[in-house]
Amino acid sequence: MAAGSAIQIPSRLPLLLTHESVLLPGSTMRTSVDSPRNMQLVRSRLLKGTSLRSTIIGVIPNTSDPTSDCDDLPNLHRIGTAALAVQVVGSNWPKPHYTLLVTGLCRFQILQLLKEKPYPVAEVQQLDRLEQFTNGHKSEEELGELSEQFYKYAVQLVEMLDMSVPAVAKLRRLLDNLPREALPDILTSIIRTTNQEKLQILDAVRLEERFKMTIPLLVRQIEGLKLLQKTRKSKQDDDKRVVAIRPNRRISHGSITEDEEEEEDHDDVVMLEKKIRTSSMSEQALKVCLKEIKRLKKMPQSMPEYALTRNYLELMVELPWNKSTKDRLEIRAARIVLDNDHYAMEKLKKRVLEYLAVRQLKNNLKGPILCFVGPPGVGKTSVGRSIAKTLGREFHRIALGGVCDQSDIRGHRRTYVGSMPGRIINGLKTVGVNNPVFLLDEVDKLAKSLQGDPAAALLEVLDPEQNHSFTDHYLNVAFDLSQVLFIATANTTATIPPALLDRMEVIQVPGYTQEEKIEIAHRHLIPKQLEQHGLTPQQIQIPQVTTLGIITRYTREAGVRALDRKLGAICRAVAVKVAEGQHKEAKPDRAEVGEGEDCKEHITEDAKPESISDTADLALPPEMPILIDFHALKDILGPPLYDMEVSERLNQPGVAIGLAWTPLGGEIMFVEASRMDGEGQLTLTGQLGDVMKESAHLAISWLRSNAKRYQLTNASGSFDLLDNTDIHLHFPAGAVTKDGPSAGVTIVTCLASLFSGRLVCSDVAMTGEITLRGLVLPVGGIKDKVLAAHRAGLKRIIIPQRNEKDLEEIAVHVRQDLTFVLAGCLDEVLNAAFDGGFAVKGRLEHLNSKL
């Protein structure tokens, strides 16, 4: 194209409809496109076009594109801006859309709309001359008084800003290099003006009119900047920054508000420094905090690190470095509180009283690390709260179940965004003292992941020799945890790492006996449920025999959670009856009195003892108190869930009862055996572990080696028990995984019953590990196993002789109800398991050698 010839835009332009912003010639704008017609324009014109003309589009302001293709186009704004599409970026989140970067070229006027679909196209007339932007020579005759005045204000505005900012220096160079005809549009797009003001500038086609409208905007911005500089004259030069230019009235109010906020923040920093100096933190922590407060004073508030540093210093001030509560060391009062809150648990109460006694004698005693191990529902967590109440300390519970990140314990380093201290330091901040009772709940359910091993992080926390200088990653200074009383709870010690277990004092919390459950129910559970359901003892009565029926027939657990739920179900059913009775009393029958008396006499004559859920007596309010008997239990809780099936399942040979330990408490376990013709194979079913499978092989090997001695034969009469005979051992409840060595004596007794044809005594249960020579070795979990047998109604228990010491932990009334057989070898086990003993063939007479 020859120099000096007019630069023209196409006479037909596709139109991009925008509503939220206004594009002026010479400025650049980024806009989002997600409406149907605009999306089609981008796909068909910009993405598929190959020439420069295909990238020129018309941007129409103050016009919304309809959300559907079927809708008609709204009235288009008369003046638009021809723009060059510089960049197109597509995305599918949160919905498909394009982001366009467009640069304004010149104004145009719409003459005629040629088509609306798939995107609008119009015939346009160019209003600005583009050659004036490419011609660097300024014609003085075209520059009048208005352009000189505009240029003076523009230079004054830019020089009031910080010229060290690259964007400001570039703007100053543009004022000298660009034609003055282009400056009104460019400066209007740079300063903070409203869309309505930009729209007025766009509609100003004549250059003289454009200068007249832009000069007041520049004056307004200059006055606003003068006010800003006046209010910030005390600021240092290095704190200068480019401020957003706003309308005059808004700037004055905004600057005062920001200045007041900065003064308040400065006062807050001074107060924070005063708190740090007056706090009782350690010398190392004080040194770190003073260093951080100096950095905070020099740091602009707009920096992200400002908030992080301030949060860190506020946490350091809030931590209880030397603040503690005074322990209540009266042993008699502590005993009363523990007895009132919990029934039984003598071992736990004894340990707490021992701690109080030692604290009386020595003030600087380090807090013990206790670990309560027992089945769910026995009160491990609640007893921790009672210990805190007894000592007069603050209580904080930390749930560790499923925690798989060591940062939950040690905290995150402050180099990360969103870093925070660990749960230990957060707990100390919450309670506000340095000697609380921390309950680490479910410590046996910690997980391990790529983020580290939280159990390993607990090694420092739970070590009395190290936790006096516990270092959280967030604090990065030592904090003394030696005065904290840590109590951990677990269902089993099998999943706790040995190093962590070695640092804790393990106290076993076994399950409750039936008598203990009855006492707990009437002392604690029933009053709690009555209070939760708005009932009184005058409205409901639950005898102890009914409570025993709930325990034996509707629950089978070591704790009392299921019992608590059943009592809650009973209270809800009674609450319905009480509410219905009150409703009927509030709204008496309005029938005639005579008919009412006849009806009452009729009901009295036909009245019979009925359950609580019967509807025949709904005409009258229930009599108080409502007595819960076995009929009411069946109506409310349904048929019994557990039956005494022991005698029924032992009515044929090849069945014996064993005792097992699980994290949920002790359980009885049936072992069944059968034989059939085969090839001498041993089949084991019931999801058995490797140890239990080995016990089964040990049992069959021992019986085969002693078959002649006990006169045990297979179906064909051979002493080789596996000769043409297959044996199938099954452990019912096949969906539950079973493992452990304690089923050895039970498997031997079961197989001996199968091959001898004799029945095992129906009231006998047993546990113990066996050897290939017939010895019975000790096992663990004796107390839980004995309580499970007691719950099931068994009377005689065979245990290893070396477990006799474990019987002392069992309550006296339970030992009185049971008969214990201490066995050192399998001969004693078999003699105790069968009525009349298990006959052994007489030994052969000793033959003297004739040699």
Side-chain angles (χ1 to χ4, degrees):
M1 182 176 293
S5 62
I7 302 176
Q8 295 290 332
I9 62 173
S11 60
R12 295 185 177 185
L13 285 181
L15 302 182
L16 179 72
L17 308 182
T18 62
H19 179 67
E20 298 178 352
S21 55
V22 178
L23 178 66
L24 293 173
S27 63
T28 300
M29 179 182 71
R30 194 178 298 273
T31 181
S32 179
V33 173
D34 57 3
S35 56
R37 287 185 173 87
N38 287 345
M39 293 276 286
Q40 191 63 35
L41 167 63
V42 175
R43 294 192 184 104
S44 304
R45 177 85 175 188
L46 300 182
L47 296 182
K48 294 184 178 180
T50 57
S51 63
L52 179 62
R53 295 174 62 89
S54 64
T55 62
I56 299 177
I57 59 176
V59 180
I60 302 299
N62 201 28
T63 306
S64 298
D65 186 20
T67 57
S68 175
D69 292 335
C70 301
D71 298 338
D72 295 333
L73 279 177
N75 294 329
L76 302 181
H77 194 75
R78 185 176 60 89
I79 305 296
T81 304
L84 183 68
V86 179
Q87 186 184 55
V88 180
V89 179
S91 176
N92 286 324
W93 189 89
K95 61 179 181 178
H97 69 280
Y98 292 99
T99 301
L100 302 184
L101 182 64
V102 292
T103 299
L105 299 177
C106 65
R107 290 173 175 80
F108 67 83
Q109 180 181 1
I110 298 178
L111 299 179
Q112 181 183 0
L113 186 64
L114 301 178
K115 67 174 183 177
E116 296 184 6
K117 296 180 181 180
Y119 54 85
V121 178
E123 183 179 354
V124 300
Q125 177 185 0
Q126 181 175 342
L127 299 178
D128 295 336
R129 291 177 300 150
L130 286 176
E131 62 270 12
Q132 68 185 7
F133 297 102
T134 60
N135 186 7
H137 300 285
K138 304 172 184 177
S139 54
E140 295 294 335
E141 61 273 5
E142 294 180 0
L143 297 178
E145 182 181 351
L146 285 176
S147 65
E148 290 292 340
Q149 186 181 6
F150 177 86
Y151 179 77
K152 180 184 66 173
Y153 284 126
V155 172
Q156 182 182 356
L157 174 65
V158 174
E159 288 181 349
M160 293 179 67
L161 302 177
D162 187 1
M163 297 300 296
S164 62
V165 179
V168 178
K170 183 178 180 181
L171 179 59
R172 182 65 183 88
R173 292 193 298 270
L174 288 177
L175 292 179
D176 296 333
N177 298 330
L178 285 178
R180 294 186 183 181
E181 292 85 349
L183 293 181
D185 291 332
I186 295 176
L187 283 179
T188 304
S189 63
I190 291 177
I191 63 179
R192 289 292 184 89
T193 53
T194 63
N195 284 343
Q196 188 63 31
E197 291 172 340
K198 290 180 180 178
L199 201 59
Q200 293 175 1
I201 300 296
L202 179 66
D203 292 342
V205 178
R206 295 175 59 246
L207 188 60
E208 181 181 0
E209 182 182 358
R210 210 177 305 160
F211 276 125
K212 289 182 180 180
M213 297 179 64
T214 313
I215 288 176
L217 298 179
L218 293 180
V219 174
R220 185 180 68 186
Q221 312 310 319
I222 292 172
E223 294 297 327
L225 278 179
K226 287 181 180 179
L227 182 60
L228 282 176
Q229 291 178 350
K230 182 178 180 180
T231 56
R232 297 184 178 181
K233 61 182 178 180
S234 60
K235 297 285 289 181
Q236 298 181 0
D237 294 338
D238 56 355
D239 287 336
K240 289 182 180 179
R241 57 178 180 265
V242 179
V243 295
I245 306 175
R246 300 179 181 275
N248 190 17
R249 180 171 50 85
R250 296 183 182 177
I251 285 182
S252 61
H253 292 290
S255 63
I256 295 174
T257 303
E258 291 177 2
D259 190 60
E260 290 178 353
E261 290 180 355
E262 288 182 357
E263 290 180 0
E264 291 178 0
D265 289 340
H266 180 70
D267 294 340
D268 290 344
V269 172
V270 174
M271 291 296 297
L272 186 59
E273 182 180 6
K274 184 178 179 181
K275 289 181 181 179
I276 291 173
R277 294 185 181 277
T278 57
S279 65
S280 56
M281 64 179 65
S282 63
E283 184 178 351
Q284 179 190 5
L286 180 61
K287 183 178 179 181
V288 172
C289 288
L290 291 178
K291 181 179 178 181
E292 293 293 329
I293 202 74
K294 289 181 181 178
R295 293 181 61 245
L296 188 68
K297 290 179 179 179
K298 299 178 182 179
M299 200 181 300
Q301 297 180 16
S302 58
M303 291 184 61
E305 194 176 355
Y306 182 89
L308 298 177
T309 305
R310 183 164 178 170
N311 291 338
Y312 170 75
L313 294 174
E314 289 176 351
L315 173 66
M316 295 289 283
V317 172
E318 294 175 2
L319 284 179
W321 297 93
N322 270 334
K323 185 179 178 182
S324 60
T325 56
K326 187 177 181 181
D327 289 344
R328 290 200 296 260
L329 303 177
E330 298 178 6
I331 296 181
R332 182 174 300 176
R335 193 190 303 273
I336 293 174
V337 171
L338 290 175
D339 289 339
N340 290 338
D341 289 348
H342 292 85
Y343 183 76
M345 292 190 174
E346 299 301 330
K347 191 179 291 187
L348 289 182
K349 297 176 183 177
K350 179 182 176 183
R351 183 63 184 88
V352 175
L353 297 178
E354 289 174 353
Y355 173 74
L356 289 178
V358 178
R359 279 284 285 111
Q360 284 186 358
L361 303 178
K362 187 176 182 180
N363 291 331
N364 58 349
L365 179 67
K366 294 181 179 180
I369 315 294
L370 306 179
C371 181
F372 300 159
V373 180
V378 296
K380 300 185 297 297
T381 303
S382 60
V383 80
R385 188 174 285 104
S386 295
I387 291 174
K389 177 182 175 183
T390 302
L391 296 174
R393 294 191 180 188
E394 297 291 334
F395 177 79
H396 185 72
R397 175 178 171 269
I398 300 177
L400 296 179
V403 172
C404 59
D405 188 355
Q406 64 131 3
S407 297
D408 279 2
I409 308 298
R410 288 187 177 274
H412 302 81
R413 300 191 185 276
R414 284 190 292 136
T415 54
Y416 299 108
V417 176
S419 58
M420 62 181 67
R423 296 194 182 190
I424 303 296
I425 298 298
N426 258 335
L428 289 169
K429 174 188 172 184
T430 302
V431 297
V433 293
N434 64 355
N435 64 339
V437 175
F438 269 12
L439 183 74
L440 306 179
D441 214 1
E442 309 294 351
V443 75
D444 59 326
K445 296 175 180 59
L446 289 170
K448 187 185 297 185
S449 69
L450 296 176
Q451 285 73 33
D453 186 2
L458 280 176
L459 294 178
E460 182 184 2
V461 176
L462 300 182
D463 191 344
E465 301 300 326
Q466 299 181 31
N467 63 8
H468 65 277
S469 59
F470 170 69
T471 303
D472 187 275
H473 286 164
Y474 185 81
L475 297 186
N476 207 23
V477 293
F479 194 93
D480 186 7
L481 299 179
S482 60
Q483 299 304 315
V484 180
L485 174 57
F486 287 102
I487 298 177
T489 67
N491 296 132
T492 177
T493 58
T495 55
I496 302 177
L500 181 59
L501 189 64
D502 181 63
R503 284 163 166 77
M504 300 185 292
E505 180 183 346
V506 178
I507 299 177
Q508 296 289 338
V509 186
Y512 297 116
T513 63
Q514 292 181 0
E515 291 76 10
E516 291 173 344
K517 288 184 179 180
I518 292 174
E519 288 294 331
I520 292 172
H522 285 270
R523 291 189 184 189
H524 302 286
L525 301 184
I526 294 178
K528 182 188 74 172
Q529 291 293 344
L530 293 182
E531 182 181 358
Q532 290 180 354
H533 293 85
L535 299 174
T536 62
Q538 290 73 30
Q539 295 172 324
I540 180 174
Q541 183 177 351
I542 304 178
Q544 289 195 358
V545 63
T546 304
T547 308
L548 179 62
I550 300 174
I551 294 171
T552 56
R553 296 189 176 189
Y554 292 92
T555 65
R556 184 167 289 179
E557 58 172 354
V560 291
R561 282 182 182 160
L563 175 60
D564 192 28
R565 288 192 288 268
K566 300 299 181 184
L567 293 173
I570 293 173
C571 290
R572 289 192 295 272
V574 173
V576 172
K577 289 295 180 183
V578 173
E580 289 178 347
Q582 292 177 351
H583 180 70
K584 292 182 181 299
E585 288 178 354
K587 294 182 179 181
D589 191 4
R590 295 184 179 181
E592 295 182 358
V593 177
E595 295 179 358
E597 292 178 354
D598 295 342
C599 179
K600 183 175 181 181
E601 292 177 358
H602 179 70
I603 293 176
T604 305
E605 291 175 359
D606 297 340
K608 293 182 181 179
E610 294 178 342
S611 66
I612 192 173
S613 64
D614 290 339
T615 58
D617 60 344
L618 291 182
L620 292 177
E623 296 182 2
M624 300 296 175
I626 298 177
L627 180 64
I628 305 299
D629 54 9
F630 288 106
H631 297 287
L633 280 184
K634 188 175 181 181
D635 293 333
I636 298 173
L637 303 180
L641 302 178
Y642 304 100
D643 293 324
M644 299 301 178
E645 57 179 359
V646 175
S647 59
E648 299 177 1
R649 296 185 65 168
L650 293 178
N651 57 3
Q652 57 182 345
V655 183
I657 302 175
L659 297 175
W661 179 91
T662 68
L664 305 180
E667 291 182 359
I668 65 170
M669 177 177 59
F670 290 91
V671 181
E672 301 175 352
S674 63
R675 59 182 178 179
M676 67 287 296
D677 294 339
E679 300 176 354
Q681 294 181 352
L682 177 63
T683 303
L684 303 172
T685 56
Q687 277 208 43
L688 308 183
D690 293 336
V691 179
M692 191 168 284
K693 291 179 181 179
E694 292 174 357
S695 297
H697 287 286
L698 274 174
I700 193 66
S701 298
W702 185 84
L703 284 176
R704 290 179 67 188
S705 63
N706 292 274
K708 291 184 179 179
R709 182 181 174 198
Y710 290 102
Q711 294 297 305
L712 301 177
T713 60
N714 58 13
S716 61
S718 172
F719 289 115
D720 187 0
L721 303 181
L722 293 181
D723 184 22
N724 297 325
T725 302
D726 286 347
I727 299 176
H728 188 167
L729 269 175
H730 178 63
F731 293 74
V736 180
T737 303
K738 310 170 189 68
D739 200 6
S742 60
V745 296
T746 311
I747 298 174
V748 170
T749 305
C750 175
L751 293 175
S753 170
L754 175 68
F755 289 110
S756 65
R758 299 178 59 185
L759 298 178
V760 180
C761 296
S762 60
D763 61 347
V764 174
M766 60 199 74
T767 183
E769 182 181 358
I770 62 171
T771 68
L772 198 56
R773 298 301 179 186
L775 299 179
V776 179
L777 302 182
V779 293
I782 291 296
K783 182 173 183 180
D784 290 320
K785 294 176 181 179
V786 169
L787 293 179
H790 187 256
R791 287 195 296 266
L794 301 173
K795 298 300 181 184
R796 216 160 20 133
I797 300 177
I798 303 173
I799 63 173
Q801 189 171 11
R802 289 163 60 181
N803 283 118
E804 183 180 5
K805 61 182 183 301
D806 298 321
L807 298 180
E808 298 177 0
E809 300 180 1
I810 302 173
V812 177
H813 62 274
V814 176
R815 281 186 285 174
Q816 291 176 349
D817 292 343
L818 300 173
T819 301
F820 295 95
V821 178
L822 304 177
C825 61
L826 287 175
D827 292 339
E828 299 174 359
V829 172
L830 295 178
N831 285 327
F834 295 91
D835 286 331
F838 204 72
V840 180
K841 184 178 179 181
R843 296 180 178 273
L844 296 175
E845 295 181 0
H846 181 68
L847 299 177
N848 294 326
S849 175
K850 296 182 179 180
L851 297 178

